[in-house]
Amino acid sequence: MKLITKISRYFFSNSILIFIVISAVLYFVIEYSINEETDEQLDSISKRTYQLLKSGEVKSLPPFIEISIVEHSDTIREFKNVQIYVIKDEGEEPFRQLTSFININGTNYKVIARISLLEKGNLLLSLLIAMMASIFLLLLILFFINRKVSKKLLKDFFDTLKKLETFSIKSGDQLKVNKSTIEEFEQLNRKLLFLSEKASSEYRSLKEFSEEMNHEIQTPIAVVKSKLELMLQTSDLSEENISLLNTALKNLSKLERINRSILLLNKLEHKDLFENSDINLSEEIKNIITTYDDFIESKNLSVSLSLNEDFSLNANQSLINILLSNLVSNAIKHNVRNGVIKIDLKNNELIISNSGQKPKVNTEKYFERFYKESGSTESVGLGLTIAKKICDLYDMEIRNEFSEGFHRFILRFPL
Amino acid sequence: MKILIIEDEIELVRSIIGFVGSDNYMFNYAFNYSDAVDKIGLYEYDCALVDLMLPDGSGLDLVKKLKKIQPKCGIIIITAKNTLDDKLTGLDLGADDYITKPFHLAELNSRIKSVIRRRNFEGNSEIVLNEVFINTEKREVKVNKKIVELTRREFDILLFLISNKERVLTKESIVEHVWADDSNAFDNFDFVYTHIKNLRKKLIEKGSRDYINSVYGIGYKFSLK
């Protein structure tokens, strides 16, 4: 729910409540004062009637004044609300009456003075309508003002939101927010700035740490590797010892590959580290296929190339080589025996497809770090992550599809 | 032959000397920049291995110095950094080759030999091992003066084995040398066996002795013994 809706809701529900209470209070106050007024009038009418009775000039004027002669006088004056037929068959009307007794020259008179309450009801009703109309109008006006003003008031807030959306901790740029004249938003901005700076600096130090660690680890790996290889040269090794050395070397080389891949991934964060040149893609692809010919043959794969010879790309040669090598070696590794590799380079699109097993998971997962589909122990699961990163670097789109027994990696180059 | 190793990790220096062997080579080493400057001024070298990251200076400056003082010395840069910029700068400054840590000792050894061959013998790019004769420039192999027709890969394997003769080479190091750096990510190196089988067959057919031995499951060794 929007803030303004929420505020308006609270505002309206409370306004209506207050309005009901005020109306009720007002109703009773006004009714009370009208009654008081009526009673006073009845009193004065009665008094006037007595005077006229004394001079004998008065007659009954039903229903407003009724005079009758009674045997016993009463001292009680009684105010009362009654319903009276003014004209026959027209229904009753409400009246307030004052019954009083007076003794004039030995005759007991009972005087009833009445005032119609019809007007009082009308008055209250119109009062109520007026109130309702004014409160409705007020709310309506407030509603529109709210809507208009909220856009203005929340502008700073939405500005900040937009800045946050585009903010990336990786880019190394500072978060920039506009100053707000509203204290709450300014407070929010200050906190966000603080938070983003802290996050950035922590991210930086973590990154530096990981990069340093990657570098530092290279030398010990190199030493261990050289010692194991030296050990391999000793003449009196048993077959068992050689096999142990072989396993150790294989795993060391895996560690080496993981480390190297992470180094590259870290480096890929910085686009400006790479110098670009025009690269003929079909040349690159053919070179890679030649490099991997024995791997292709040992699985008895058939390769079919359909390459646009003229298509070239402005990018870093080594990175494009890594990208294509990763995709091609992927197509070899995850192929079946006697399978097929098809490479199709059209304008702005490269499709590398290979026959293979149906994927066990969503193919998007292939690009995740350390994802491994098969039980292949040699691959470390970073090749496609690197491929994706390189694509990101050059605004290329990369996706994977599987259909009819074929994996397809589709690369779309920016126009 | 005199080789200078400039590298701050002493254990790596020991491994290199142990592998390359002190029978045919004299080694000198420096663990830091200033030591290296002294050693460069003192002796002449056929080949220098230069680590770019030294505790007290940059190996690139040493490459410059070496080029100036000893233009005949072959230079191989060693670095933990796999950055292309350093590689290019190093090669621009006159380094002959570039190798990234961690490397196979066999790979380094073959590069040292190749650099020394190219630098010191000025055109004399021939290796003779009994009846086997190899011209690395022309990429030509003769056994008893008869040419052996080898494929590109077979020739590369043979040269790599011979550069590291009497040493056990893992299949992985052979694949990385002959095929591609990143090919060790594959888990099937059976084709190395096929190439070596063909190579042996071709050499023996021309009358060579069988010098290439397979070492259990791990790799191969070119042995004259």
Side-chain angles (χ1 to χ4, degrees):
Chain A
M1 193 189 285
K2 279 191 174 176
L3 179 66
I4 186 64
T5 323
K6 193 110 187 165
I7 290 177
S8 301
R9 244 181 226 195
Y10 277 121
F11 189 80
F12 282 113
S13 57
N14 283 314
S15 302
I16 285 165
L17 210 73
I18 290 168
F19 165 70
I20 290 170
V21 171
I22 289 180
S23 302
V25 169
L26 214 63
Y27 178 86
F28 288 115
V29 168
I30 290 174
E31 194 190 31
Y32 177 78
S33 55
I34 288 175
N35 282 351
E36 285 288 287
E37 184 66 22
T38 315
D39 289 358
E40 258 172 52
Q41 275 183 35
L42 283 172
D43 197 45
S44 76
I45 289 170
S46 299
K47 279 178 184 153
R48 180 76 185 132
T49 311
Y50 302 155
Q51 283 176 3
L52 293 173
L53 262 178
K54 279 174 192 162
S55 55
E57 288 171 30
V58 73
K59 279 182 188 164
S60 286
L61 183 63
F64 304 106
I65 297 170
E66 279 178 33
I67 303 166
S68 52
I69 299 166
V70 288
E71 273 180 42
H72 301 289
S73 166
D74 217 323
T75 47
I76 304 159
R77 286 157 52 87
E78 191 191 28
F79 289 100
K80 201 173 165 189
N81 287 343
V82 289
Q83 301 284 332
I84 285 176
Y85 290 99
V86 181
I87 304 162
K88 284 249 181 256
D89 306 327
E90 277 217 350
E92 295 171 323
E93 273 181 31
F95 280 88
R96 188 164 176 84
Q97 67 176 31
L98 171 62
T99 314
S100 59
F101 299 89
I102 188 157
N103 189 300
I104 299 169
N105 307 327
T107 317
N108 286 326
Y109 294 94
K110 178 182 169 191
V111 177
I112 301 173
R114 289 197 184 98
I115 289 177
S116 171
L117 291 180
L118 216 55
E119 275 168 53
K120 177 190 134 189
N122 284 345
L123 186 69
L124 279 171
L125 192 71
S126 29
L127 210 76
L128 210 68
I129 289 170
M131 273 229 12
M132 254 154 73
S134 57
I135 203 104
F136 178 74
L137 204 69
L138 187 76
L139 290 180
L140 202 72
I141 290 168
L142 276 173
F143 175 74
F144 282 109
I145 290 179
N146 265 354
R147 239 174 53 163
K148 218 173 168 103
V149 167
S150 82
K151 264 187 200 161
K152 231 185 214 168
L153 286 180
L154 291 176
K155 189 181 162 290
D156 293 342
F157 177 73
F158 286 116
D159 276 355
T160 305
L161 269 193
K162 205 171 249 169
K163 291 271 162 58
L164 276 181
E165 262 168 37
T166 51
F167 174 68
S168 154
I169 230 170
K170 282 187 190 166
S171 71
D173 295 335
Q174 292 248 321
L175 176 68
K176 283 189 192 96
V177 285
N178 296 338
K179 270 216 170 310
S180 173
T181 48
I182 297 165
E183 203 193 316
E184 284 88 342
F185 294 153
E186 190 51 30
Q187 214 173 340
L188 178 73
N189 285 351
R190 272 201 306 274
K191 295 279 182 234
L192 282 175
L193 279 178
F194 175 73
L195 195 71
S196 71
E197 265 164 40
K198 201 170 145 187
S200 291
S201 94
E202 271 169 26
Y203 176 79
R204 259 199 313 278
S205 70
L206 199 67
K207 215 167 124 65
E208 273 162 25
F209 171 77
S210 113
E211 276 167 23
E212 276 163 25
M213 197 197 75
N214 276 314
H215 275 221
E216 289 303 314
I217 226 169
Q218 299 274 75
T219 307
I221 291 177
V223 171
V224 174
K225 187 171 175 170
S226 71
K227 297 298 170 196
L228 291 177
E229 284 181 348
L230 262 187
M231 198 171 172
L232 199 61
Q233 309 307 326
T234 42
S235 50
D236 49 358
L237 281 178
S238 68
E239 189 173 346
E240 196 194 338
N241 283 344
I242 287 187
S243 147
L244 289 175
L245 273 177
N246 194 19
T247 313
L249 275 168
K250 272 209 168 125
N251 280 281
L252 189 65
S253 118
K254 198 169 164 187
L255 176 64
E256 184 189 326
R257 279 203 306 281
I258 293 173
N259 202 48
R260 216 166 33 200
S261 300
I262 295 175
L263 269 175
L264 180 62
L265 277 173
N266 284 338
K267 239 183 96 184
L268 285 174
E269 309 267 321
H270 315 284
K271 191 175 184 173
D272 42 312
L273 284 181
F274 304 100
E275 268 180 41
N276 296 346
S277 58
D278 281 328
I279 303 156
N280 183 303
L281 275 194
S282 71
E283 292 284 314
E284 282 293 321
I285 292 166
K286 283 185 215 154
N287 286 341
I288 288 164
I289 293 290
T290 316
T291 308
Y292 288 143
D293 56 358
D294 283 291
F295 298 92
I296 293 167
E297 265 171 45
S298 67
K299 264 197 168 171
N300 202 22
L301 308 174
S302 60
V303 179
S304 77
L305 302 177
S306 152
L307 305 174
N308 175 354
E309 306 278 335
D310 303 321
F311 185 73
S312 68
L313 191 70
N314 191 267
N316 180 281
Q317 164 116 36
S318 310
L319 291 187
I320 293 302
N321 186 275
I322 291 169
L323 167 67
L324 296 173
S325 298
N326 283 357
L327 292 177
V328 171
S329 68
N330 191 70
I332 299 169
K333 273 189 256 175
H334 300 290
N335 220 315
V336 290
R337 274 206 76 82
N338 307 319
V340 180
I341 294 177
K342 278 189 259 179
I343 302 180
D344 195 2
L345 175 64
K346 283 181 280 197
N347 276 337
N348 303 313
E349 197 177 63
L350 171 69
I351 303 172
I352 298 181
S353 33
N354 67 279
S355 45
Q357 304 286 335
K358 196 176 176 332
K360 293 180 191 120
V361 292
N362 185 339
T363 52
E364 281 305 305
K365 262 211 164 354
Y366 289 167
F367 299 109
E368 282 178 14
R369 285 178 186 214
F370 298 111
Y371 177 76
K372 280 191 264 182
E373 172 118 354
S374 59
S376 157
T377 49
E378 288 311 309
S379 76
V380 294
L382 284 171
L384 290 177
T385 315
I386 289 172
K388 174 94 172 70
K389 263 266 167 66
I390 295 174
C391 287
D392 289 349
L393 201 66
Y394 293 109
D395 297 321
M396 292 186 251
E397 194 189 300
I398 184 169
R399 64 197 157 87
N400 176 276
E401 282 175 5
F402 181 85
S403 63
E404 291 151 21
F406 270 88
H407 283 279
R408 260 175 230 99
F409 278 93
I410 300 154
L411 254 89
R412 212 180 278 276
F413 306 107
L415 291 169
Chain B
M1 295 288 154
K2 224 177 165 103
I3 298 177
L4 174 64
I5 307 175
I6 306 166
E7 157 70 56
D8 60 331
E9 178 52 57
I10 179 165
E11 284 305 332
L12 206 55
V13 175
R14 283 196 181 138
S15 299
I16 294 170
I17 295 175
F19 191 92
V20 178
S22 29
D23 301 344
N24 301 316
Y25 300 98
M26 290 256 301
F27 290 98
N28 243 331
Y29 40 84
F31 298 130
N32 53 45
Y33 182 88
S34 48
D35 197 13
V37 173
D38 291 347
K39 298 261 162 75
I40 291 170
L42 275 175
Y43 308 101
E44 274 202 24
Y45 301 95
D46 299 289
C47 182
L49 311 178
V50 184
D51 188 344
L52 287 190
M53 303 257 276
L54 292 167
D56 55 344
S58 157
L60 284 176
D61 292 337
L62 289 174
V63 173
K64 271 190 240 170
K65 275 203 168 60
L66 264 166
K67 265 337 276 186
K68 213 170 118 192
I69 304 169
Q70 303 192 26
K72 272 188 147 182
C73 172
I75 301 168
I76 298 172
I77 287 173
I78 301 177
T79 179
K81 267 205 210 161
N82 194 6
T83 59
L84 306 156
D85 322 334
D86 277 350
K87 177 178 182 172
L88 291 175
T89 327
L91 296 179
D92 279 349
L93 287 174
D96 296 82
D97 214 338
Y98 180 98
I99 195 163
T100 322
K101 267 190 218 169
F103 45 78
H104 292 286
L105 287 173
E107 181 66 40
L108 180 68
N109 191 28
S110 93
R111 292 197 191 198
I112 292 172
K113 296 209 165 143
S114 149
V115 163
I116 291 179
R117 258 201 316 272
R118 273 183 280 159
R119 289 246 153 216
N120 285 30
F121 294 97
E122 278 151 12
N124 184 2
S125 43
E126 289 166 1
I127 304 169
V128 184
L129 293 164
N130 300 341
E131 67 274 25
V132 184
F133 170 95
I134 298 173
N135 187 317
T136 54
E137 193 76 22
K138 294 189 200 155
R139 297 177 64 85
E140 193 178 75
V141 179
K142 287 180 188 166
V143 172
N144 296 325
K145 297 189 179 156
K146 281 175 285 180
I147 286 188
V148 186
E149 298 286 348
L150 295 181
T151 64
R152 181 167 61 92
R153 295 261 154 85
E154 284 161 2
F155 181 85
D156 288 341
I157 293 172
L158 180 64
L159 188 58
F160 190 56
L161 283 169
I162 284 178
S163 299
N164 291 292
K165 63 176 190 294
E166 311 301 341
R167 291 171 186 83
V168 179
L169 304 184
T170 58
K171 276 190 235 167
E172 188 186 315
S173 71
I174 296 174
V175 169
E176 272 181 54
H177 178 83
V178 176
W179 279 267
D181 257 354
D182 55 345
S183 46
N184 58 5
F186 288 92
D187 32 22
N188 186 347
F189 294 156
D190 292 347
F191 54 83
V192 178
Y193 169 75
T194 319
H195 282 278
I196 293 208
K197 195 179 76 185
N198 293 339
L199 175 62
R200 276 163 96 173
K201 209 172 101 193
K202 285 181 183 174
L203 291 173
I204 293 167
E205 267 173 10
K206 302 283 175 191
S208 152
R209 277 166 54 204
D210 189 8
Y211 295 116
I212 304 171
N213 311 313
S214 81
V215 182
Y216 302 113
I218 199 168
Y220 299 91
K221 180 170 166 181
F222 190 98
S223 176
L224 293 171
K225 286 167 196 162

